[in-house]
Amino acid sequence: MEESQELALTQLRKSVEKLSSSTEGYEVPTLMRFLVARSMNPDKAAKMFVDWQKWRASMVPTNEITDSEVKDELDFKKICLQGPTKSGHPMVLVLTSKHFPAKDQVIFKKFVVHLLDKTIASGIKGKEVGDEKLVAVIDLSNITYKNLDARGLITGFQFLQSYYPERLAKCYILHMPGFFLSVWRFVCRFLEKATQEKIVIVKEGEEERKFKEEIGVDALPEEYGGKAKLTLIQDVLLPQASAPHMLTTNINNV
């Protein structure tokens, strides 16, 4: 690690303590995610870290959101968990044609946390490192106006930006219809530049070939030209039922 990074980490820890919290129990890769997300500014990274701790303690007080808590959203069968991709990351696939705007936003937010936690946890190989990432694929094929949900998209991306910094490796958007462009332009107003740079709108031809190459045939479902079977996220069983340690927070510190 470079001397400048070590200095930034030391300053981050001190800044967190000044905010009446602690980084105890969190490994360097986790802390580095917050620093990278805030351009290596220790004070801004510390604020982001403490805000995340407080949010996590409030949103997931037991460190786990179970399937039963978000059953209504899972029943739509709109989220698949695949992978690992060629880059070694788990892949979450959103079948947007099966999604409808949530009537209960609290449950929907819990659902977003549930799927992000489980996707990240599925990518842990042995001991958790703290810098595990995920690949997201949003499939817009066969959507109608009933499936449009700018609020839901914004919630998902804002959670990634604010509470899962540097967890998103890449996001591919497939089969975007013309009528969705105005919705997407609106959503982009809420996305940070770093997030937008990780998003690829896949078009037919060379971009589609590159998408398949980057994901890899072993992770890509048969419906998309790969060899894998579509697997609903609720059908994936993880060795540990609870959320990864690096996703949790010590409530006593917040």
Side-chain angles (χ1 to χ4, degrees):
M1 179 180 293
E2 297 179 5
E3 185 178 344
S4 60
Q5 291 179 324
E6 292 181 354
L7 179 60
L9 281 168
T10 299
Q11 292 176 330
L12 167 63
R13 292 187 176 101
K14 290 180 179 178
S15 294
V16 169
E17 289 178 0
K18 289 179 181 179
L19 294 172
S20 302
S21 191
S22 172
T23 58
E24 184 179 355
Y26 296 97
E27 301 294 338
V28 168
T30 296
L31 301 179
M32 282 300 299
R33 288 193 292 106
F34 288 87
L35 279 168
V36 171
R38 287 297 175 261
S39 304
M40 299 304 291
N41 183 307
D43 290 336
K44 291 182 178 180
K47 183 181 184 306
M48 184 184 197
F49 181 81
V50 173
D51 286 346
W52 164 75
Q53 286 184 310
K54 293 177 179 178
W55 170 83
R56 188 81 197 180
S58 173
M59 177 63 76
V60 200
T62 61
N63 288 331
E64 178 189 8
I65 293 177
T66 63
D67 285 8
S68 61
E69 293 179 73
V70 292
K71 183 180 181 301
D72 288 348
E73 291 290 337
L74 287 172
D75 284 347
F76 284 114
K77 299 181 178 181
K78 58 188 174 182
I79 304 293
C80 295
L81 182 52
Q82 313 290 143
T85 63
K86 188 176 287 187
S87 58
H89 305 309
M91 183 183 90
V92 59
L93 170 63
V94 182
L95 305 174
T96 315
S97 62
K98 296 184 178 184
H99 170 77
F100 301 93
K103 296 179 180 179
D104 188 328
Q105 286 299 313
V106 173
I107 295 297
F108 180 73
K109 289 178 180 178
K110 286 188 174 185
F111 176 65
V112 172
V113 173
H114 173 78
L115 70 90
L116 290 176
D117 281 3
K118 190 167 184 177
T119 301
I120 294 168
S122 72
I124 295 174
K125 302 176 181 66
K127 183 180 179 182
E128 182 183 1
V129 177
D131 60 355
E132 291 84 1
K133 296 180 183 290
L134 62 87
V135 170
V137 177
I138 301 174
D139 184 1
L140 299 175
S141 61
N142 302 316
I143 66 169
T144 68
Y145 286 99
K146 291 182 179 180
N147 305 119
L148 297 184
D149 186 13
R151 184 178 185 180
L153 267 175
I154 291 168
T155 295
F157 279 116
Q158 286 189 330
F159 274 23
L160 276 168
Q161 290 177 164
S162 299
Y163 308 123
Y164 296 82
E166 297 302 307
R167 288 293 199 184
L168 180 64
K170 211 157 190 178
C171 175
Y172 300 91
I173 301 180
L174 311 180
H175 309 122
M176 182 182 287
F179 70 82
F180 190 82
L181 286 174
S182 59
V183 176
W184 181 244
R185 291 193 189 101
F186 176 72
V187 171
C188 284
R189 291 165 55 184
F190 297 86
L191 305 186
E192 297 172 359
K193 181 181 178 182
T195 300
Q196 293 192 39
E197 290 175 347
K198 296 175 183 177
I199 299 172
V200 178
I201 298 176
V202 180
K203 300 177 183 177
E204 292 184 1
E206 180 62 22
E207 288 184 358
E208 188 173 24
R209 184 201 64 77
K210 188 176 180 182
F211 159 72
K212 293 179 180 179
E213 173 67 22
E214 291 179 353
I215 296 298
V217 294
D218 291 333
L220 201 62
E222 295 173 346
E223 291 82 351
Y224 299 86
K227 298 180 180 180
K229 298 291 185 181
L230 275 177
T231 307
L232 292 173
I233 192 167
Q234 56 264 47
D235 293 337
V236 175
L237 300 178
L238 301 180
Q240 287 180 299
S242 60
H245 170 69
M246 297 303 173
L247 290 174
T248 65
T249 184
N250 184 345
I251 297 178
N252 295 326
N253 287 335
V254 299

